[in-house]
Structure formats: C-alpha cells, structure tokens
Amino acid sequence: MKTIQRIQHSSAMHWVGNGFPVRSVFDYNGLGRELSPFLLLDYAAPHLFAPGKGKRGVGAHPHKGFETVTIAYQGELEHRDSSGGGGKIGPGDVQWMTAGKGIIHEEFHSEEFTRQGGTLQMVQLWVNLRAKDKGTPPRYQTLLKADIPSVALPDDAGSLRVIAGEFDGHAGSAQTFSPIQLWDVTLGAGKTVTLPVPDGHTTALLLLAGELLVNDEGQAREADLVMFKRQGDRVVIHARAEARLLVMDGEPLNEPVVGHGPFVMNTMEEIQAAFEEFERGEMGDLEH
C-alpha cells in the first residue's frame, strides 16, 4: 500500500481572466516539484454565473513545454488554438492540449452557457513533457464523455471513468507521451474501493465533493489534495459521504523543471528562448 505523504488543503480562490474562479491546488514552483510528471492543478469549484452577454474566460496566450488537460464537470467551455485545434466541451468531456514546441490558445465559456448562465465546475491539470518531447508539434484532443470508458466498481461501490491510462482492462482514449493514469471516480456513501497503482509512480488525488477516509488513516474533505509516497501498489479509499475524486498517477520524469509563467522547460536559457520565440510570432496566432 502507498502510504500518505501529506494532505494539503487548497489555497484561497482567485480569478483567471474573468471566467475562471480557481483554487491553485499545486504549481511547478511548489508541490508540483514533488509530483512529476504533474506540474500544476487549478480547481474551479462550483460557481454560479448569472446570464451575460460579454465573453468570459481568458484571451489568447502562449504555452510551451507541457500539456494542459481540462476536465469539465459543469458548464461549457470553448477552446481555440494556433494549431487549428479547438472545440466545445461540456459536463463529462475533456480537452487535452499538447503545447509542445509552442502554441497560442484561448479559453472562454461557450456562447450559450454565457447567455443562459449556470454553474461552472472544472479542473485544469498541467502535465510535463520529457526534454525530448518538448519540441513536439502542438496537437489537440477532444475526449467526449461518450468516448471515455466508464467502469463499474466492485460491490456496487460506484464508477470509474478512464480518461487516460488503464483500469481493469479498459483503456482511456487520451494519447500521452509518458505513462499516465487519470481517473474520474464516483463513490457511494459508505463504500470502499481499492485502486491498483504502479509501484514507483507518483500518485495523488483531488477530492471534488464528499468526505474520504484514505488508507484507514487520512481524512480528506472537499478541495483536499492527498499525496502518496511512491512505494507501494495500491490505495484504499472509503467514502464517508458520497464522493467524487480525480486520481492522478504517472511515471516520474526525473528531469529538471524550470518554469516561468506559461512556459515550462529544463533550463532558464530555454525559458528565455521561449519568450523570444513568442515575441517573434513563432508560436503562431489565432485568426479571427
């Protein structure tokens, strides 16, 4: 069993653009240094938006050297990027954007969601790329709810959606550059599940709703991050109340992490080069 390393409560909420009220659960200058290949996680807890007319979100901005994974639980988001990728995602959908050698993108609430208003809930996770993959061409993957395998857990405990990786013989549809498992788990009140995870991998979970007892020792509440030591091959989760959680598991990259703003590379010289490439327009642009 992987023992608990720490349980971290998320920071206070702040706004990203005018559309995303998020809690910074971890970032590449803090706990993200212990969570390779995961760099950063922002969690937008349920937030009610009134009907509106103007765009809500974040305008065009660059990224380089990693991937962004956006999971929508409530509300609708629209994405557009300089690779030609883009689309709309709603509850249960995921977008997986590889920034690679450099990309420009924008993220807004969908026009319909803005007009009607409603509750937004989402997670954005940054996943690092190995040094050899940081120069890969940008790409965009839309993972619709219908295409994400959902597996019933033993003893009618709940369900697990395989966004990436594998669970009980079911493979997620996300294409990844390093071994990653990303699971969206729902547990009924009073139910327990044992989740197998590879020995030596980085493993963590974010509790989105409910209350958990983890490994019979750690108590987690909404917006808590549970980090595990890498030794061991399973974690045991008991839901004291109906719960929803995101399980992250990945092979550590064991490479230097140097990040500044929207870029994550291996050296400060590469960061400087990324800013120069962006200023020269080499990361493309968004045609309007």
Side-chain angles (χ1 to χ4, degrees):
M1 183 183 295
K2 288 182 185 278
T3 58
I4 296 173
Q5 181 175 340
R6 68 187 296 169
I7 298 177
Q8 174 83 11
H9 190 70
S10 303
S11 63
M13 186 271 285
H14 69 278
W15 285 88
V16 175
N18 67 349
F20 304 111
V22 304
R23 304 181 193 188
S24 293
V25 179
F26 62 86
D27 64 42
Y28 53 69
N29 287 320
L31 291 180
R33 294 194 169 274
E34 305 174 39
L35 289 168
S36 176
F38 308 111
L39 294 166
L40 175 150
L41 190 149
D42 280 346
Y43 172 46
H47 183 91
L48 180 61
F49 285 87
K53 295 181 179 179
K55 279 190 171 185
R56 291 171 173 159
V58 182
H61 59 284
H63 288 301
K64 180 176 182 177
F66 60 97
E67 301 182 286
T68 67
V69 181
T70 304
I71 305 168
Y73 296 96
Q74 300 183 70
E76 281 188 342
L77 305 174
E78 288 184 331
H79 165 99
R80 196 163 59 103
D81 66 51
S82 56
S83 76
K88 180 167 65 176
I89 61 171
D93 299 337
V94 177
Q95 63 181 23
W96 197 297
M97 184 189 79
T98 303
K101 66 179 182 180
I103 199 170
I104 309 292
H105 79 139
E106 64 180 22
E107 300 167 288
F108 289 100
H109 297 188
S110 73
E111 291 185 9
E112 183 178 0
F113 181 69
T114 299
R115 185 173 61 254
Q116 294 183 352
T119 299
L120 177 73
Q121 183 186 19
M122 56 159 283
V123 162
Q124 186 169 96
L125 174 67
W126 291 14
V127 180
N128 203 7
L129 292 169
R130 296 187 181 99
K132 69 180 183 65
D133 295 320
K134 287 183 180 291
T136 195
R139 73 179 182 191
Y140 176 82
Q141 302 174 68
T142 297
L143 311 175
L144 298 178
K145 180 179 180 179
D147 299 323
I148 297 174
S150 182
V151 184
L153 296 173
D155 301 320
D156 198 30
S159 62
L160 183 152
R161 297 198 313 140
V162 188
I163 297 171
E166 184 270 344
F167 181 82
D168 194 28
H170 299 265
S173 54
Q175 299 176 33
T176 68
F177 284 84
S178 60
I180 291 170
Q181 299 184 102
L182 194 60
W183 299 333
D184 174 22
V185 182
T186 302
L187 289 178
K191 298 295 186 177
T192 300
V193 66
T194 298
L195 298 176
V197 286
D199 181 51
H201 272 207
T202 298
T203 307
L205 67 83
L206 173 69
L207 181 58
L208 303 171
E211 185 177 346
L212 298 179
L213 178 65
V214 183
N215 290 350
D216 292 324
E217 57 169 332
Q219 299 183 51
R221 293 177 173 82
E222 183 181 356
D224 281 353
L225 177 75
V226 183
M227 299 169 52
F228 300 91
K229 295 182 179 179
R230 290 175 178 162
Q231 296 75 28
D233 61 3
R234 67 191 186 281
V235 297
V236 180
I237 300 169
H238 174 75
R240 288 180 161 168
E242 186 173 350
R244 188 162 194 176
L245 53 142
L246 180 67
V247 178
M248 298 158 277
D249 177 273
E251 181 180 87
L253 302 190
N254 297 320
E255 295 182 350
V257 174
V258 180
H260 190 90
F263 306 133
V264 181
M265 302 300 292
N266 300 103
T267 68
M268 187 54 69
E269 290 76 16
E270 291 172 332
I271 293 290
Q272 181 62 41
F275 276 102
E276 293 171 358
E277 291 161 11
F278 170 59
E279 291 169 358
R280 291 194 299 264
E282 295 176 10
M283 295 183 184
D285 57 29
L286 295 177
E287 296 181 2
H288 294 277

